[in-house]
Amino acid sequence: MLKFGNNLLFLQRNCIKTLFMGVTFDNQEQRFVFDFEHDGVEDIISLMGDGYQVEAFGRCFYYGYEFSEQVDGNVRTAFIKHVKFSENLQNNPDLTQFVKKAVDNLNRRINLYDYDLVVMPESSSKVNQYMLRYIYRFAQPSLHKMELVKSLPSSISFDMDAYEKQYLDDVLENGRPRYTEAQKNDVKQSINKMMDLIHQKDYFTIAKDVKKSRFRPYMMSFLRFANKEDEELCASIRKQNVLVIDDVTTSGSTLNEILRTLRILNEDNEITIFSLIGRRDLMAEAI
């Protein structure tokens, strides 16, 4: 077995949790081992308890699992792929129980029966669809679902103003600008060239490349309503509870884009966000 983290860290977490769940990585057999009854010092990822609700994106944000701080990056990436791209998710009892455990915990905290609309992004992963089906077991029969789909790359834009404010206008400790005007112009030209290439490709071809780019949080308008009926439904739901779900939160740009799309129509709804696997440091940055 590979060991990650330290005893003190996990003992502190176990004092907070009301539920138990952990996953370890068997290095010899190169597979993930799920334990739905216990936490352990070898866990690479663990179920979050009541102490892990945070405010992020201007909304109440919950997430089901968090990786150990010491987990190897290759193992983390492999596990995310294992969860998101399992060919037969419904026929995999470990993964389905993994999802159910997190949704059960969420329901104990927010009561899914009180929600009127579930929104999720289009994804090649089957996890969101499975989460949605399981959520229906808790929610009222009139619960509506909505999937925001990927826009054509030609409609994707870049928020240059936000990028310039956060990065290009940065100053050194002595108050001098970090970048010269010439350097700024070079960066802007590179971004414009990148956007030209994006506009010429299909969405799924560019998704993996953009995902790892520092420019990802500034990509705008890459989600849209699937049809006019969904848009009208969202516009008609006022002062009600909306649950946004996603499988894995890394950069947070997808969640930001979902909120931007929903808020174009109205500002009245109470929105809660749930991600199956999240990052606490990302939440801190998003506050």
Side-chain angles (χ1 to χ4, degrees):
M1 292 287 186
L2 294 179
K3 294 185 178 181
F4 302 98
N6 55 68
N7 294 346
L8 178 60
L9 174 63
F10 282 96
L11 286 173
Q12 289 174 336
R13 287 184 175 178
N14 289 343
C15 291
I16 297 175
K17 293 180 186 176
T18 57
L19 299 172
F20 299 96
M21 164 67 209
V23 179
T24 55
F25 180 66
D26 189 321
N27 192 39
Q28 183 175 355
E29 298 188 13
Q30 290 294 296
R31 68 184 183 92
F32 296 101
V33 180
F34 292 75
D35 186 338
F36 295 99
E37 302 298 332
H38 308 92
D39 295 313
V41 295
E42 294 180 338
D43 289 349
I44 64 169
I45 192 169
S46 301
L47 184 72
M48 295 296 93
D50 295 334
Y52 289 88
Q53 171 187 341
V54 295
E55 290 291 330
F57 307 99
R59 297 290 142 196
C60 186
F61 189 103
Y62 296 89
Y63 57 108
Y65 298 91
E66 184 182 48
F67 284 105
S68 163
E69 294 177 358
Q70 305 301 320
V71 65
D72 178 81
N74 292 330
V75 174
R76 181 172 60 244
T77 299
F79 183 75
I80 290 176
K81 290 181 178 179
H82 179 65
V83 172
K84 293 185 63 170
F85 303 115
S86 175
E87 292 184 2
N88 297 305
L89 178 64
Q90 287 186 284
N91 296 326
N92 188 322
D94 282 339
L95 289 184
T96 53
Q97 184 66 12
F98 181 80
V99 174
K100 290 177 181 178
K101 195 89 169 178
V103 176
D104 286 342
N105 194 25
L106 176 69
N107 182 57
R108 291 185 182 96
R109 298 159 71 180
I110 67 173
N111 190 1
L112 291 167
Y113 184 86
D114 293 335
Y115 284 76
D116 306 283
L117 175 67
V118 177
V119 180
M120 61 185 183
E122 179 186 25
S123 174
S124 53
S125 164
K126 297 180 176 64
V127 174
N128 284 346
Q129 293 288 348
Y130 186 82
M131 279 199 293
L132 179 66
R133 286 195 294 271
Y134 192 65
I135 285 171
Y136 268 96
R137 297 192 177 192
F138 300 94
Q140 53 186 325
S142 60
L143 178 72
H144 299 287
K145 66 176 181 178
M146 182 181 300
E147 186 176 30
L148 296 176
V149 300
K150 304 293 191 305
S151 298
L152 293 174
S154 57
S155 69
I156 297 175
S157 59
F158 187 85
D159 191 342
M160 187 70 78
D161 290 339
Y163 185 75
E164 188 169 5
K165 182 178 180 180
Q166 184 167 344
Y167 285 102
L168 299 185
D169 290 341
D170 190 27
V171 296
L172 301 173
E173 293 182 0
N174 59 12
R176 297 181 60 185
R178 181 177 295 275
Y179 305 107
T180 66
E181 290 301 318
Q183 289 173 323
K184 292 181 182 180
N185 289 332
D186 287 343
V187 170
K188 291 177 182 179
Q189 289 179 15
S190 297
I191 292 174
N192 288 332
K193 290 179 181 178
M194 177 188 70
M195 295 306 300
D196 288 340
L197 292 173
I198 286 175
H199 292 159
Q200 297 171 25
K201 296 180 178 292
D202 66 273
Y203 182 85
F204 290 102
T205 299
I206 66 175
K208 291 183 179 179
D209 293 334
V210 175
K211 183 175 182 180
K212 296 181 179 180
S213 170
R214 62 174 178 170
F215 302 131
R216 175 67 185 269
Y218 303 97
M219 296 296 176
M220 307 290 291
S221 303
F222 60 85
L223 291 177
R224 60 179 174 82
F225 293 100
N227 49 59
K228 191 65 177 178
E229 289 74 19
D230 280 356
E231 186 173 356
E232 291 174 351
L233 170 64
C234 188
S236 68
I237 294 178
R238 297 284 180 173
K239 297 183 179 179
Q240 294 179 319
N241 294 327
V242 176
L243 177 65
V244 174
I245 63 172
D246 201 9
D247 47 17
V248 179
T249 297
T250 50
S251 70
S253 58
T254 298
L255 292 178
N256 272 317
E257 179 67 9
I258 291 175
L259 294 176
R260 187 196 69 82
T261 304
L262 297 179
R263 288 310 187 195
I264 287 176
L265 297 179
N266 67 72
E267 291 279 345
D268 299 330
N269 296 325
E270 290 296 325
I271 296 179
T272 299
I273 305 171
F274 175 75
S275 178
L276 183 65
I277 302 174
R279 279 177 47 199
R280 195 174 358 168
D281 57 336
L282 172 68
M283 305 313 135
E285 294 171 2
I287 292 176

